[in-house]
Amino acid sequence: MIISKKDQIRALLKSIETGDPDPIAVVNEAKYIQHNPQTHEGSEGLAALFKRLSKTGPKVNIVRVFEDGDFVFAHTEYDFSRRNIGFEVFRFEDGRAVEHWDNIQPRLGPNPTDHSMIDGPTEATDHAHTEDNRKLVQAFVESVLIKGDLDRLTDFLNPQYFTDHNPQLNKGIDALQQELASTREGQRRINYQRNHRILAEGNFVLSISEGSFEGKHTAFYDLFRISAGKLVEHWDTTEKIAPKSEWKNSNGKF
């Protein structure tokens, strides 16, 4: 039986909790490129690492998993003595995972509208419109988040149905517009500067961007759900990027 890439990644991530070495076979460790700057590359095999981690009693909740060509991207919740929310991205080559990126932050919330960082729909639909949805998010990120053209918010978002899972945001587009417009010492607090990748399956699209948050070098991962050609739901993680002097590998965050 052929196991899908999504199911292989589900099993791989769950093995952090179980310590089961079998799912790690999906990773080609001879080619594996690790983009988490806080992770040593090649110092410890994944089987040994996951076995060691499993003994600390971690909990791994794989909330959503999507596939885009050679890429699988997952929305996850971890409890390693404290609860974190993450996005995990894997690139496959010749049927095995050879590259990994992630973005993790502490779980906060619920937000003022009582939404958590992970609740909401989990299964992709509307697969025939994957490329249209990818282009919609690409245009939104470039026009609104990077260029700061906030007057175009309603060109992309459905104000009647939009739900934001960001733990800090209140309900509605007005709250989002206020947050994006806020400044600190004359600079945008949330300052998207470059988009690195857009991944999509059906009505779910993940944007991976770089910029600064309150003046600190930051990675922004934003997951959107699209309905009828408009953004109707948003989840995210925001992670400060450590200075290069503290990196444990040289592959770069992006």
Side-chain angles (χ1 to χ4, degrees):
M1 181 180 70
I2 297 175
I3 303 174
S4 71
K5 291 196 285 284
K6 288 193 285 190
D7 284 343
Q8 289 180 87
I9 292 303
R10 282 191 184 96
L12 174 68
L13 295 173
K14 197 66 176 177
S15 67
I16 298 172
E17 178 181 310
T18 65
D20 182 0
D22 292 343
I24 294 165
V26 70
V27 176
N28 185 339
E29 294 193 66
K31 290 187 174 183
Y32 194 60
I33 301 170
Q34 172 62 259
H35 289 277
N36 183 327
Q38 300 304 310
T39 300
H40 283 291
E41 190 168 49
S43 60
E44 183 177 20
L46 286 179
L49 172 63
F50 287 11
K51 188 69 174 178
R52 177 168 58 81
L53 289 175
S54 72
K55 293 178 180 178
T56 66
K59 299 298 180 185
V60 179
N61 177 24
I62 299 106
V63 183
R64 299 171 177 84
V65 185
F66 306 105
E67 184 175 335
D68 181 3
D70 292 331
F71 291 87
V72 171
F73 53 107
H75 194 190
T76 56
E77 179 181 23
Y78 300 107
D79 189 345
F80 291 8
S81 76
R82 71 174 187 178
R83 296 170 78 185
N84 289 316
I85 304 299
F87 287 101
E88 309 280 350
V89 177
F90 294 87
R91 182 176 67 84
F92 277 68
E93 184 179 288
D94 298 326
R96 301 179 74 191
V98 295
E99 201 161 6
H100 170 252
W101 302 258
D102 63 5
N103 211 55
I104 297 170
Q105 75 162 77
R107 176 167 179 158
L108 304 172
N111 65 19
T113 59
D114 206 34
H115 286 290
S116 78
M117 293 181 70
I118 57 171
D119 66 321
T122 60
E123 298 296 326
T125 62
D126 204 22
H127 286 79
H129 289 94
T130 294
E131 295 309 315
D132 292 336
N133 293 334
R134 189 197 310 273
K135 290 175 184 176
L136 176 71
V137 171
Q138 181 80 61
F140 171 75
V141 171
E142 291 177 355
S143 299
V144 176
L145 298 183
I146 295 177
K147 294 180 181 177
D149 190 354
L150 301 183
D151 291 337
R152 294 200 63 199
L153 268 176
T154 53
D155 291 348
F156 300 100
L157 275 64
N158 185 322
Q160 183 177 358
Y161 297 111
F162 185 70
T163 299
D164 207 313
H165 294 265
N166 182 291
Q168 310 294 342
L169 285 184
N170 213 324
K171 184 177 182 180
I173 288 181
D174 289 345
L176 175 60
Q177 186 166 21
Q178 260 187 340
E179 186 73 3
L180 291 174
S182 65
T183 60
R184 179 180 178 180
E185 298 178 352
Q187 301 293 322
R188 289 188 295 172
R189 287 179 59 250
I190 304 171
N191 187 7
Y192 284 69
Q193 297 166 344
R194 180 182 177 188
N195 180 254
H196 286 271
R197 180 170 281 116
I198 302 283
L199 298 172
E201 182 187 347
N203 60 334
F204 280 89
V205 180
L206 178 68
S207 166
I208 299 171
S209 301
E210 180 178 8
S212 63
F213 178 67
E214 296 187 340
K216 305 291 177 60
H217 189 199
T218 297
F220 300 103
Y221 277 49
D222 295 279
L223 180 67
F224 297 94
R225 184 173 66 85
I226 295 93
S227 178
K230 295 275 186 163
L231 309 179
V232 295
E233 203 157 5
H234 169 248
W235 302 260
D236 68 335
T237 60
T238 301
E239 183 180 3
K240 177 186 171 185
I241 302 172
K244 285 187 177 181
S245 60
E246 298 177 12
W247 289 8
K248 297 175 181 176
N249 65 64
S250 60
N251 297 322
K253 176 72 173 175
F254 301 97

